[in-house]
């Protein structure tokens, strides 16, 4: 028997329709959304035993599936991780009734905290504290560094909060969408500088030996003071 994860992979396919130059056709989107919704309805029926109250007849179910498919296309809800998260939230509900499509789409959107991100306010305060040393600072999450950089460190240092907080919030939520898509932002953190090398002065005996070795390589005659200093 195939696992739930494998069934979901089969429904979505290997590549969600994002990031292509031409973009998927309407027919491809319709087919993908229909596969996802068919899979979801089977799963959600097992989670919510009172589903018949929302889908009393086969005709009602077919109409509902068409509505769900349109909503998934409009909200670009195709990724496996999003749908898996929505099902995880669905399994935590304490009622038996089939959800609306809007409710399920909301379940597919993890909050900042769900993704391990600080709140917008906490992220903004950290950005303001560390804007003076953005390259050397240690960040609670790479997303805060990216949002700070993209908002503009000079502006964060010099302009009032009334102007900068809305700008930072907008930028931070765009970064949140990147985290939601599964992007690894750690690669955007500034690289740590290598520790500065400290050259030690060469000791007297080591210096004399080095001179003697150099004279030997050059074929010069050995000097008496190569091993002894006057």
């Amino acid at each position: 028997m195939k696992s739930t994860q494998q069934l979901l992979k089969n429904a979505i396919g290997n590549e969600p329709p994002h990031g292509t130059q031409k973009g998927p056709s309407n027919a491809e989107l319709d087919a993908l959304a229909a596969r996802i919704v068919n899979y979801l309805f089977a799963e959600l029926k097992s989670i919510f035993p009172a589903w018949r109250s929302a889908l009393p007849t086969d005709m009602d179910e077919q109409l509902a599936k068409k509505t769900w498919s349109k909503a998934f296309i409009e909200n670009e809800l195709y990724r496996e991780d999003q749908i898996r998260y929505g099902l995880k939230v669905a399994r935590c509900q304490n009622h038996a009734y089939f959800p609306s499509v809007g409710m399920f789409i909301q379940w597919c959107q993890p909050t900042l905290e769900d993704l391990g991100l600080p709140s917008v306010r906490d992220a903004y305060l950290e950005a303001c504290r560390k804007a003076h040393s953005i390259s050397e600072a240690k960040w609670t999450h790479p997303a805060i560094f990216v949002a700070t950089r993209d908002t503009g460190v000079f502006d964060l240092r010099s302009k009032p909060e009334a102007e900068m907080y809305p700008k930072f919030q907008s930028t931070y939520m765009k970064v949140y969408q990147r985290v939601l898509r599964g992007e690894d932002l750690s690669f955007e953190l500034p690289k740590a500088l290598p520790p500065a090398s400290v050259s030690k002065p060469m000791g007297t005996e080591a210096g004399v030996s080095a001179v003697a070795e150099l004279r030997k390589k050059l074929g010069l005659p050995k000097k008496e003071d190569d091993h002894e200093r006057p």
Side-chain angles (χ1 to χ4, degrees):
M1 180 180 292
K2 293 183 178 179
S3 66
T4 298
Q5 186 170 348
Q6 186 58 50
L7 289 169
L8 181 53
K9 283 184 181 294
N10 292 344
I12 295 178
N14 294 325
E15 294 293 334
H18 288 288
T20 58
Q21 287 186 336
K22 293 175 62 178
S25 66
N26 291 337
E28 289 172 329
L29 287 178
D30 289 343
L32 176 60
R35 290 199 306 271
I36 294 172
V37 169
N38 283 333
Y39 163 79
L40 276 177
F41 269 52
E43 286 291 310
L44 293 173
K45 282 180 183 180
S46 67
I47 296 171
F48 300 102
W51 60 270
R52 274 292 183 195
S53 62
L55 309 169
T57 68
D58 290 345
M59 179 64 71
D60 291 319
E61 183 171 336
Q62 292 307 313
L63 290 173
K65 285 182 176 180
K66 288 182 180 179
T67 299
W68 279 57
S69 294
K70 288 179 184 176
F72 275 38
I73 292 170
E74 290 167 354
N75 289 274
E76 297 186 349
L77 185 59
Y78 310 117
R79 294 200 323 274
E80 179 189 343
D81 59 321
Q82 291 176 297
I83 295 166
R84 252 195 291 116
Y85 191 83
L87 285 171
K88 178 181 177 182
V89 175
R91 287 189 286 269
C92 295
Q93 302 305 305
N94 60 358
H95 60 81
Y97 297 99
F98 204 82
S100 68
V101 63
M103 185 180 295
F104 184 80
I105 288 174
Q106 193 172 37
W107 290 347
C108 291
Q109 306 296 324
T111 65
L112 291 167
E113 291 75 14
D114 290 334
L115 295 175
L117 292 167
S119 67
V120 176
R121 184 65 186 171
D122 288 345
Y124 173 75
L125 293 176
E126 181 173 340
C128 292
R129 289 195 308 270
K130 298 176 179 177
H132 293 275
S133 56
I134 185 171
S135 298
E136 295 79 20
K138 292 185 177 180
W139 299 89
T140 302
H141 193 284
I144 306 176
F145 163 78
V146 175
T148 302
R149 179 198 65 196
D150 293 353
T151 301
V153 291
F154 178 78
D155 288 347
L156 284 168
R157 290 197 300 258
S158 59
K159 293 184 178 180
E161 179 176 325
E163 178 182 348
M164 294 311 302
Y165 184 74
K167 185 177 179 182
F168 178 86
Q169 183 178 29
S170 174
T171 304
Y172 189 54
M173 295 312 292
K174 290 176 183 175
V175 178
Y176 153 76
Q177 290 295 329
R178 293 180 60 190
V179 177
L180 191 61
R181 291 194 296 268
E183 293 187 35
D184 183 1
L185 302 181
S186 61
F187 294 105
E188 299 193 33
L189 289 171
K191 300 249 192 285
L193 294 173
S197 59
V198 179
S199 58
K200 296 182 179 179
M202 188 178 289
T204 302
E205 291 196 12
V208 171
S209 298
V211 171
E213 183 65 26
L214 180 60
R215 293 180 66 84
K216 181 178 178 182
K217 288 182 179 179
L218 295 175
L220 298 175
K222 181 179 178 182
K223 289 181 65 176
E224 293 182 1
D225 63 352
D226 280 349
H227 296 288
E228 297 181 7
R229 294 180 63 85

